[in-house]
């Protein structure tokens, strides 16, 4: 079977080739941009609810909510219901991730992604715009729509990682996946800015604009996003590719078979990183869902002002995704980088919990907290997940990353769901300081879950070096043995999971 290779539009000495360690065709740029923006749009619609929570609470507790009076008697009751919505969203999201991860390995990822984006936009439209426009205030309807939206949005991340894995494969280094994983933070900023600039019109217009952008972009994904090289090659576009007769086992020309769900759990590092991500995502999504509300209710800043300020947390996550991902490429493993950032996150959380009510100080401390919390979260869900494709069980089968990603992100969402259930109650009974101290405990639990991985990697490196030294000692070239042994001891071993 002839192998199909895309002509490279990028010279070997180009900037991206030096940074990422691989050549990019124009299809790589195309796939990177579309997957980045599509997931950013999904996150923008998801973020809208957290940015308009004060407006929703005011509406639900006003006397004119329904003909019989407000649907919630107090603001605390409304806030607890929002916590239930967040929990329901994340539980449905977690269940959907396990399912959609498998679907992404068995069906066309592009079609699944486009369908999910369209369906999610319709759910958000009904939840935020139609209910307010027609004054339909029903906790049952709100719960059904937002939980359904959580299940539908779960198609996004595992399918996106599957598409990236198809195009970039095991050559997708930390610089590439780190930059790409910032799409969630960019989406958060987009959703927050939309809400902050449209709140004066009514919170329903924030939902309307966000879901409209998502709906429009779903058509671009369906018609323009190539989900794999073999999908583009089947179109046989003239001038864009060339056929070569040599076979290359590292570049499959047809879709590889999917991996089993239970087998994916047993891959090296999957269980450890899944448990770690469950603890870390609880903290990350605690900021995601409740930071604007804290800045408004806890620090008493105007709602639009609080929304704009909360974007600094996402800016920190973007910077960490770019810098930590590229830096970890030069390390023997990414795990120590994540571990050190988690220890720094505990310090940044403690300082932020006692931050003064100053915009500049809060912006800076949120930037730091986002860097040390959002950075490890982005690395685990993207760069480290992509590294799992280097193990022998997945060699040459990058599409299986959809299942692995669904497992890690799904387990993380279970932890995040439990957190959103408790945050409103903890805040009500013990105050916001208790919430931040709880975040610190969960960060420490994340680091604890990674300790076995650190130990195994250290043990494997020592074993590998010992084998190389023994092999050199038993070789016939005794005259250069000592120099070779010293070289082996200085040589880094590259084991990124």
């Amino acid at each position: 079977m002839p192998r199909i290779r895309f002509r490279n539009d990028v010279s070997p000495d180009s900037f991206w080739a030096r940074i990422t360690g691989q050549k990019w065709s124009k299809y790589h740029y195309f796939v990177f941009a579309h997957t980045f923006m599509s997931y950013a749009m999904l996150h923008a619609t998801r973020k809208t609810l957290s940015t308009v929570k004060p407006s929703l609470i005011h509406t639900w507790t006003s006397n004119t909510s329904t003909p019989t009076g407000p649907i919630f008697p107090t603001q605390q009751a409304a806030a607890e219901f929002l916590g239930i919505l967040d929990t329901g969203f994340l539980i449905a999201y977690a269940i959907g991730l396990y399912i959609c991860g498998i679907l992404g390995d068995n069906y066309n990822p592009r079609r699944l992604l486009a369908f999910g984006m369209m369906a999610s936009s319709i759910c958000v439209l009904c939840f935020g715009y139609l209910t307010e426009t027609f004054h339909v205030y029903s906790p049952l309807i709100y719960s059904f729509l937002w939980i359904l939206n959580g299940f539908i949005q779960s198609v996004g991340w595992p399918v996106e990682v599957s598409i990236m894995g198809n195009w970039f494969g095991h050559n997708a280094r930390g610089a590439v996946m780190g930059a790409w994983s910032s799409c969630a933070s960019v989406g958060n900023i987009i959703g927050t800015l939309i809400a902050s600039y449209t709140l004066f019109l009514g919170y329903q217009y924030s939902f309307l604009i966000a879901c409209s952008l998502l709906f429009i972009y779903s058509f671009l994904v369906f018609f323009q996003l190539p989900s794999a090289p073999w999908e583009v090659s089947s179109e046989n576009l003239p001038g864009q590719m060339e056929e070569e007769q040599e076979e290359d086992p590292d570049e499959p020309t047809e879709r590889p078979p999917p991996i089993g769900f239970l087998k994916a759990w047993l891959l090296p590092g999957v269980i450890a990183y899944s448990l770690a991500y469950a603890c870390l995502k609880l903290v990350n999504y605690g900021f995601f869902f409740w930071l604007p509300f804290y800045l408004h209710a806890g620090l008493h800043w105007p709602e639009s002002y609080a929304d704009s300020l909360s974007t600094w947390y996402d800016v920190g996550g973007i910077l960490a995704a770019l810098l930590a991902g590229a830096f970890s490429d030069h390390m023997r493993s990414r795990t120590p980088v994540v571990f050190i950032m988690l220890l720094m996150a505990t310090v940044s959380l403690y300082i932020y919990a006692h931050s003064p009510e100053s915009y500049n100080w809060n912006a800076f401390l949120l930037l730091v907290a986002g860097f040390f919390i959002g950075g490890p979260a982005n690395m685990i869900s993207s760069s480290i997940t992509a590294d799992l494709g280097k193990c022998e069980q997945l060699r040459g089968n990058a599409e299986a990353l959809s299942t692995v990603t669904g497992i890690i992100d799904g387990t993380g969402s279970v932890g995040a769901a439990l957190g959103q259930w408790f945050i409103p109650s903890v805040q009500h009974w013990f105050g916001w300081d208790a919430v931040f101290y709880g975040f610190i405990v969960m960060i420490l639990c994340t680091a604890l879950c990674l300790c076995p991985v650190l130990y195994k990697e250290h043990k494997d490196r020592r074993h590998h070096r010992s084998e190389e030294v023994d092999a050199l000692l038993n070789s016939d070239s005794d005259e250069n043995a000592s120099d070779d042994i010293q070289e082996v001891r200085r040589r880094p071993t590259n084991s990124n999971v």
Side-chain angles (χ1 to χ4, degrees):
M1 183 178 185
R3 178 169 61 88
I4 297 173
R5 183 188 296 274
F6 296 104
R7 286 192 183 133
N8 242 310
D9 298 326
V10 186
S11 66
D13 298 327
S14 68
F15 174 79
W16 269 117
R18 292 194 301 270
I19 294 297
T20 65
Q22 66 182 118
K23 302 175 184 179
W24 284 32
S25 70
K26 72 175 184 179
Y27 288 103
H28 289 82
Y29 288 103
F30 202 63
V31 169
F32 187 97
H34 272 315
T35 53
F36 186 97
M37 288 306 302
S38 60
Y39 197 73
M41 291 295 101
L42 282 169
H43 241 263
T45 59
R46 192 185 309 176
K47 180 66 174 178
T48 304
L49 176 61
S50 66
T51 56
V52 301
K53 278 182 177 178
S55 294
L56 283 171
I57 291 175
H58 175 75
T59 300
W60 292 345
T61 56
S62 66
N63 293 329
T64 58
S65 297
T66 65
T68 58
I71 60 175
F72 294 106
T74 63
Q75 291 189 355
Q76 177 61 26
E80 290 178 353
F81 177 70
L82 286 170
I84 294 174
L85 285 184
D86 293 336
T87 303
F89 176 95
L90 288 171
I91 291 175
Y93 187 73
I95 296 173
L97 282 168
Y98 293 125
I99 297 173
C100 293
I102 300 173
L103 294 178
D105 288 336
N106 289 273
Y107 297 97
N108 189 294
R110 171 179 55 85
R111 295 176 182 175
L112 281 174
L113 180 59
F115 171 77
M117 295 171 68
M118 291 179 187
S120 176
S121 65
I122 294 173
C123 284
V124 174
L125 177 71
C126 295
F127 176 90
Y129 181 76
L130 295 182
T131 54
E132 173 62 24
T133 301
F134 297 100
H135 303 292
V136 179
Y137 304 112
S138 169
L140 184 62
I141 293 177
Y142 284 127
S143 300
F144 172 76
L145 290 173
W146 202 244
I147 291 173
L148 179 62
N149 183 44
F151 183 83
I152 293 172
Q153 285 215 357
S154 65
V155 74
W157 190 251
V159 170
E160 303 267 17
V161 172
S162 173
I163 295 174
M164 286 290 291
N166 289 337
W167 280 95
F168 295 90
H170 61 270
N171 290 324
R173 302 169 62 192
V176 177
M177 297 303 293
W180 179 77
S181 67
S182 64
C183 58
S185 298
V186 171
N188 293 342
I189 294 175
I190 293 174
T192 301
L193 292 178
I194 289 174
S196 62
Y197 285 104
T198 57
L199 268 176
F200 71 96
L201 298 173
Y203 73 83
Q204 67 271 26
Y205 291 98
S206 302
F207 286 102
L208 176 63
I209 295 174
C211 70
S212 297
L213 293 175
L214 179 64
F215 187 79
I216 293 171
Y217 210 90
S218 66
F219 286 95
L220 294 177
V221 167
F222 185 82
F223 290 108
Q224 294 189 359
L225 175 63
S227 58
W230 49 86
E231 182 176 296
V232 174
S233 65
S234 64
E235 300 173 6
N236 200 22
L237 296 176
Q240 301 299 329
M241 50 194 165
E242 59 185 2
E243 294 185 355
E244 296 181 2
Q245 298 300 321
E246 298 179 355
E247 291 288 341
D248 186 348
D250 291 332
E251 291 188 25
T253 56
E254 58 184 11
R255 187 170 191 171
I259 191 174
F261 181 74
L262 295 179
K263 185 179 179 181
W265 272 99
L266 300 178
L267 293 174
V270 170
I271 294 178
Y273 275 108
S274 296
L275 295 177
Y277 197 47
C279 301
L280 181 57
K281 196 168 184 177
L282 185 154
V283 180
N284 197 37
Y285 265 57
F287 276 89
F288 176 84
F289 283 118
W290 293 100
L291 180 58
F293 181 76
Y294 163 72
L295 295 173
H296 173 72
L299 300 183
H300 309 292
W301 283 332
E303 188 174 0
S304 59
Y305 197 72
D307 291 342
S308 300
L309 179 59
S310 67
T311 59
W312 286 102
Y313 179 84
D314 296 299
V315 173
I318 294 173
L319 293 175
L322 296 171
L323 298 178
F327 177 76
S328 64
D329 284 335
H330 303 283
M331 301 291 291
R332 296 172 179 175
S333 170
R334 303 192 202 280
T335 308
V337 178
V338 173
F339 189 82
I340 293 173
M341 293 181 72
L342 290 172
L343 297 181
M344 297 300 298
T346 60
V347 178
S348 65
L349 278 172
Y350 180 81
I351 295 175
Y352 183 73
H354 300 85
S355 62
E357 295 184 14
S358 164
Y359 182 93
N360 292 333
W361 269 110
N362 266 268
F364 174 73
L365 293 176
L366 280 175
L367 179 72
V368 174
F371 187 93
F372 291 115
I373 299 173
N378 288 335
M379 288 185 67
I380 292 177
S381 63
S382 59
S383 302
I384 293 175
T385 302
D387 285 339
L388 292 172
K390 296 179 181 179
C391 68
E392 292 299 325
Q393 294 92 325
L394 290 185
R395 184 69 70 183
N397 188 6
E399 283 205 6
L401 286 177
S402 179
T403 302
V404 174
T405 304
I407 290 173
I408 293 177
D409 203 14
T411 307
S413 296
V414 172
L418 295 176
Q420 308 323 305
W421 181 276
F422 290 109
I423 285 176
S425 298
V426 171
Q427 184 275 323
H428 177 69
W429 291 105
F430 304 103
W432 285 107
D433 285 348
V435 174
F436 288 111
Y437 292 147
F439 287 166
I440 292 174
V441 172
M442 296 312 299
I443 292 292
L444 293 175
C445 290
T446 305
L448 186 63
C449 290
L450 296 182
C451 287
V453 180
L454 284 171
Y455 176 75
K456 183 178 181 301
E457 290 176 350
H458 176 70
K459 185 178 179 180
D460 290 344
R461 283 195 297 269
R462 293 188 62 180
H463 180 70
H464 178 72
R465 289 180 178 179
S466 178
E467 286 184 342
E468 288 189 337
V469 170
D470 292 340
L472 288 172
L473 286 174
N474 294 329
S475 65
D476 295 330
S477 56
D478 294 334
E479 54 187 1
N480 295 323
S482 60
D483 293 338
D484 292 339
I485 291 171
Q486 294 299 324
E487 176 63 24
V488 169
R489 288 174 176 170
R490 290 193 298 266
R491 186 186 309 160
T493 56
N494 194 8
S495 58
N496 277 334
V497 174

